[in-house]
Amino acid sequence: MHGDATGWLADLESRARAVLPAPVLRYVSEGARDEVTLAEATAAWREVRLLPRVLRDVREVRLGGALLGSPTRSPLGVAPMTLQRAAHARGEVAMAEAAAVAGVPMVLSSNAGSTFADVGATGATWWLQLYMTPEREVAARLLDEAVRHGAAAVVLTVDTPVVGTRHAAPDEERVWDVADPAWVGANLPESGREPDPAGRAKAMDLAPADLGWLRERSGVPLVVKGVLRGDDAADAVQAGADGVWVSNHGGRQLDQAQATARCVGRVREAVGDRATVLVDGGVRSGLHAAVGLALGADAVLLGRPLFMALAAEGPDGVRRALGLLHDELEEAMRLAGCPDVAALRGVVDSGATGPR
Amino acid sequence: MHGDATGWLADLESRARAVLPAPVLRYVSEGARDEVTLAEATAAWREVRLLPRVLRDVREVRLGGALLGSPTRSPLGVAPMTLQRAAHARGEVAMAEAAAVAGVPMVLSSNAGSTFADVGATGATWWLQLYMTPEREVAARLLDEAVRHGAAAVVLTVDTPVVGTRHAAPDEERVWDVADPAWVGANLPESGREPDPAGRAKAMDLAPADLGWLRERSGVPLVVKGVLRGDDAADAVQAGADGVWVSNHGGRQLDQAQATARCVGRVREAVGDRATVLVDGGVRSGLHAAVGLALGADAVLLGRPLFMALAAEGPDGVRRALGLLHDELEEAMRLAGCPDVAALRGVVDSGATGPR
Amino acid sequence: MHGDATGWLADLESRARAVLPAPVLRYVSEGARDEVTLAEATAAWREVRLLPRVLRDVREVRLGGALLGSPTRSPLGVAPMTLQRAAHARGEVAMAEAAAVAGVPMVLSSNAGSTFADVGATGATWWLQLYMTPEREVAARLLDEAVRHGAAAVVLTVDTPVVGTRHAAPDEERVWDVADPAWVGANLPESGREPDPAGRAKAMDLAPADLGWLRERSGVPLVVKGVLRGDDAADAVQAGADGVWVSNHGGRQLDQAQATARCVGRVREAVGDRATVLVDGGVRSGLHAAVGLALGADAVLLGRPLFMALAAEGPDGVRRALGLLHDELEEAMRLAGCPDVAALRGVVDSGATGPR
Amino acid sequence: MHGDATGWLADLESRARAVLPAPVLRYVSEGARDEVTLAEATAAWREVRLLPRVLRDVREVRLGGALLGSPTRSPLGVAPMTLQRAAHARGEVAMAEAAAVAGVPMVLSSNAGSTFADVGATGATWWLQLYMTPEREVAARLLDEAVRHGAAAVVLTVDTPVVGTRHAAPDEERVWDVADPAWVGANLPESGREPDPAGRAKAMDLAPADLGWLRERSGVPLVVKGVLRGDDAADAVQAGADGVWVSNHGGRQLDQAQATARCVGRVREAVGDRATVLVDGGVRSGLHAAVGLALGADAVLLGRPLFMALAAEGPDGVRRALGLLHDELEEAMRLAGCPDVAALRGVVDSGATGPR
């Protein structure tokens, strides 16, 4: 037993706040525009009500399995995040070490400050997050290099045709004023080392046809990240995606975009069993993860809380956070009478309020 | 007229807080994880709106009747609670005396600090609450002994495959650090005297088939406690249960489990008239009890408020609390134009908000 | 133009609070039990949203008409209230004078401190509010006497089989400790002069058949007050009632009873055009009155605000309050594009929230 | 990139508050009665949730087009407002200059303090807002004069049969006590120079037949402003209107009128493609404007924020505000995967809350 994730993670975040440079903390924490979407991400998980099953055999609960062909010990994962080297000297490598111990995949930002080689050497299951660039070949070379170092899947971010505006306090110091160049771009050509590579995709053209090209080029499973709509999810799968990642980019892109907790069920319904469904956004406990799985996800990924854990306690903190989440999820599954993830489907109360 | 339960009970709770050791108070009061379910238990009763009937003859209002074969004076009861001897020197015996005077059943925790013989000697209608143990014979012997001392029904708790985590402040003194061994386990074999017997059921296997075995072994009515779903309720009845108890264990097991007020109607609908339906969770007044009955319960049980009454005023406090609840319930039935519990069905406004 | 009712009435209430003896103020203001119903009465009017009509001829707006056979200048009225002589030396007579000037009916409590003769002499249209007593002849004699002095209708209160419990602070001085005997019971036999005549109806039998008897005995229209359900409303009309008054007794009887704003539409639907529908409860402005009419009422009655007006400014205050309400209602009708009350039906937005 | 409209506009409003005479600020800011409608105008835009599309080509996003026959650079516009000369010495002329630069239409109040000639000379696309007067010829002459100076459309306000009451603090100085006569009525005959020309329409008759007359007389497109209902919208179009403006007059007329964000979709559905649909009310960012377009509007108009911009920074402020709104709208369209306004339809999540 590791204690309680919600409380411990909140505490970690407080400690991380004392450690991180203010502009980094602000950059990691902020959301787009009025932060409507950011503000309701966690609340949307909490508003779900569960109807646990009883009289089920839950002596053994199976959390592990395979995700996009790689074995996992939990249906959890590390979402892609930039600036990990601002949180810890070894950055993404430290994060990957923790993911390896926890037995969950880590998704590496294409702007990572650690090389594919170093991340691959940790033995973690890792996937490459990719922004498509107008020059397809830049992305293609990045992709080839990643696969060569063991990337087990490619995650194409599709919700960033432009970077959403976030600037609650425009007169404050910005992250790129304090950033060490070594924090980012370790795998990018010199010309591509912009602080925010999403910026390079400005007003870019990305069409379903690109998915088939990517899938074929990499030879590893392809996940499309940033999908909130059932129709888009079905189109992506039709065009060759192996997985769909329900995400609103942590509330950093289109403000007033719907909470992922309210979209994941519809995406699952749209793709049926033809694709893997992932989700992130506001998950702060193993119970939230259980809700995500119950609503239809195959795995639930976390970003900011693990960034804070890395900043406050290094890889040990991330390991502990992932351990807590695993234990809470296991407990929630037992208490919900569900011996495996499949059984979790159906424990969500579809009408959450009012007498009935 | 006894005054107003809501106010008086709240006042009692304040006084009990001054009397009880802090770890005991914390243990009794706390809920699982983020306490989402705990926090909305009472609110869910309050959010129900009623449509009272008029021009009915309510000169006589009948609250008494029979519950699982035992006569009662009110459709109320005492829910199972551990640590009653921490609230009062005579613990469960004092509670049972009050229940006997009030004419309502008391459900005795299998971990009670008072013996079956002493509880049985009070003349109260009492039921045994049971956690099923991996070794069926331990439970069986407990059961035999209880029936021998007059247990009129068995209540099998099924929502505790593991104990839900509750630890808002993990560094504080825990209840088992201050507990007197005599507070618990008076009816358990030496080897079974663990502070929290639910812990012994860790990850246990409990299947519908066990219900038939239990029912036959005891020869008294069997209630399955901890059911929130209609399908589970129907299965339990099909497997031999005489009653279904809609409960989320006081918000102490799966957090974000639905409020019992929002489940009882669906459970009643699922079992029809084939089983007795009980409910607990957040009831703080006779009006809340009336709502529970109106939604479909045959009886409404209370835990924490009666524990506080026992701590603050001993058996007199419990008697007075049950008297207040009875009077409020009677008044609510009159004001709702309902001469008996059956008439209460149908006074719930099924759409609680918005113009119509 | 009289100014704004909501603000002015709120101000009057503050001033009345300074004038009235504390136990009287408390008695008039309080609601049953936890005051859930009391608290949401006004909010339920405010939550309704309107869809005004345009391009209608509203140069002339007709608020007057006939209500239960008596001409009115506004679809408003004075609800029955006890203790008016605690608010003003001439009590109900002063109130009736104001109602007469405003051209709206006043409903006189059967426990009034002013005689039928004195109220009748004001020239107001007045109706007798009646609690049915176990001895029918007591009610019958009261009725005969009222009709003899010009009562134009009888309002039978049916939501008081017992008096709802209200005692937020049971140790405070109660109204009957400070009440002057002359404040109440001016029309009751000596033996009937109890402070709260509703108390005399404790657990009484009142059946639909009584309505026919009452209707025949009085020879004037009969209104059944305290109905929230469509089925009860239809039964009452079937049994001889000319009107149905949607009321929860100002939140003083069954707590958690539905807000009248959420019942009036269903009652209208149940009785169609076969009966007059009245409503009270939480109305604090002419706009709230417009909402009540739009939802299906033929007239909207007010109690507490007019009591406060009487206490703070005497009959002038009541006149001014009724004038303000009339003017606001007229303005609301114009702004809603409705030349008469019938046109108001249909301006309520039946789905009040969410995009569409 | 201009920064963030919500924050900047809020800041501008603070600065405008320091500049404007208190009665002017109050007059511009206030809403009718209890300000229920005013208070929820912006909240209703914020409560909408979006489901952005992905894998769309949004390299080019088209915001410009034609509105009622005039070319525009954004689907935005300046709503009619009185007292602009109290905000800036050149008043409506300064506002028109900014609108011309931004390439959006300005709607000129019939009570403007600047002449048609001066406004027309700015080169802005401008439309005349008109209150119909009992003497049709007064309106007709105003109309003729406006068209002669280039008014490209006529906007007939139909939600003002009388002026809604607004007087939160009746003892405070009123705007007409401090108003300079030159602030208003520059285009009205001497006899028509009342401070609030809507007052002249008191209880007037305005019928669908008037629309045909107006349309024919002016020879330019006719917009009916102040429609919240689908049936009224369809009637207006049937009677000759080219456009329908969904408005509740900034919450200044019928309080508790529905928020425009909750009406625009129904109006669009009612008129289909047979008419232009405009909307205003509570729009404070380009994202809100995107929501308005997504719900069915062809253009979104703003009043108070531009008034504040004019007061705080003159025409530069208005230009900057319109620029920010344009940029935010463009970004929102890109992030929503919508290359043009037509594509925005369908990105609104029609069920905004609860798991699914």
Side-chain angles (χ1 to χ4, degrees), chain A residues 21-339:
Chain A
V24 171
L25 177 60
R26 200 159 51 229
Y27 179 81
V28 172
S29 304
E30 72 194 351
R33 299 288 178 190
D34 295 342
E35 301 193 338
V36 171
T37 294
L38 178 70
E40 77 183 7
T42 298
W45 297 114
R46 286 174 63 103
E47 84 192 3
V48 175
R49 289 293 165 273
L50 303 175
L51 294 173
R53 301 176 195 278
V54 292
L55 299 171
R56 263 42 173 207
D57 183 355
V58 289
R59 283 171 300 180
E60 299 301 324
V61 171
R62 211 167 65 88
L63 277 78
L67 199 64
L68 294 170
S70 299
T72 59
R73 278 208 290 281
S74 308
L76 300 170
V78 182
M81 288 168 285
T82 189
L83 289 178
Q84 294 184 34
R85 291 195 64 188
H88 188 269
R90 291 188 299 120
E92 292 82 0
V93 172
M95 185 72 85
E97 286 170 1
V101 172
V104 303
M106 164 169 170
V107 188
L108 190 74
S109 166
S110 57
N111 195 30
S114 309
T115 65
F116 294 158
D118 289 346
V119 169
T122 63
T125 294
W126 72 280
W127 305 342
L128 175 68
Q129 176 273 335
L130 196 68
Y131 288 107
M132 188 61 91
T133 50
E135 316 76 40
R136 292 290 185 269
E137 275 310 303
V138 175
R141 279 194 299 270
L142 199 67
L143 186 61
D144 295 345
E145 188 75 1
V147 171
R148 202 164 64 79
H149 286 97
V154 173
V155 173
L156 179 70
T157 301
V158 297
D159 60 5
T160 319
V162 289
V163 180
T165 303
R166 311 147 211 159
H167 44 97
D171 52 336
E172 290 172 315
E173 209 178 21
R174 305 297 300 161
V175 68
W176 310 121
D177 301 331
V178 304
D180 181 328
W183 288 353
V184 296
N187 302 289
L188 297 177
E190 201 67 42
S191 68
R193 292 202 191 172
E194 297 176 17
D196 192 343
R200 303 173 59 233
K202 187 171 169 55
M204 65 156 298
D205 174 23
L206 186 61
D210 294 302
L211 304 185
W213 173 82
L214 252 179
R215 182 68 183 79
E216 193 162 337
R217 172 83 182 221
S218 76
V220 295
L222 172 67
V223 175
V224 175
K225 175 169 180 283
V227 176
L228 296 176
R229 307 172 60 93
D231 53 3
D232 280 354
D235 286 353
V237 172
Q238 178 69 23
D242 301 279
V244 176
W245 187 325
V246 179
S247 176
N248 54 33
H249 213 115
R252 298 165 76 85
Q253 288 291 96
L254 179 64
D255 200 23
Q256 297 194 199
Q258 188 53 289
T260 56
R262 302 191 191 126
C263 295
V264 65
R266 291 182 280 189
V267 166
R268 167 57 73 191
E269 194 175 350
V271 303
D273 291 330
R274 302 189 305 281
T276 296
V277 174
L278 309 177
V279 68
D280 69 4
V283 173
R284 293 294 176 272
S285 73
L287 182 56
H288 300 164
V291 170
L293 301 171
L295 286 165
D298 291 301
V300 175
L301 294 100
L302 296 94
R304 290 179 181 106
L306 302 179
F307 186 95
M308 298 301 170
L310 185 66
E313 298 205 352
D316 280 357
V318 177
R319 268 203 301 275
R320 193 167 161 208
L322 288 167
L324 272 172
L325 292 161
H326 175 101
D327 291 352
E328 286 186 1
L329 172 56
E330 184 180 37
E331 182 190 284
M333 289 172 67
R334 279 220 171 84
L335 293 177
C338 298

Side-chain angles (χ1 to χ4, degrees), chain B residues 269-292:
Chain B
E269 194 175 351
V271 303
D273 291 330
R274 301 190 305 282
T276 296
V277 173
L278 309 176
V279 68
D280 69 4
V283 173
R284 293 294 176 272
S285 73
L287 182 56
H288 300 165
V291 170

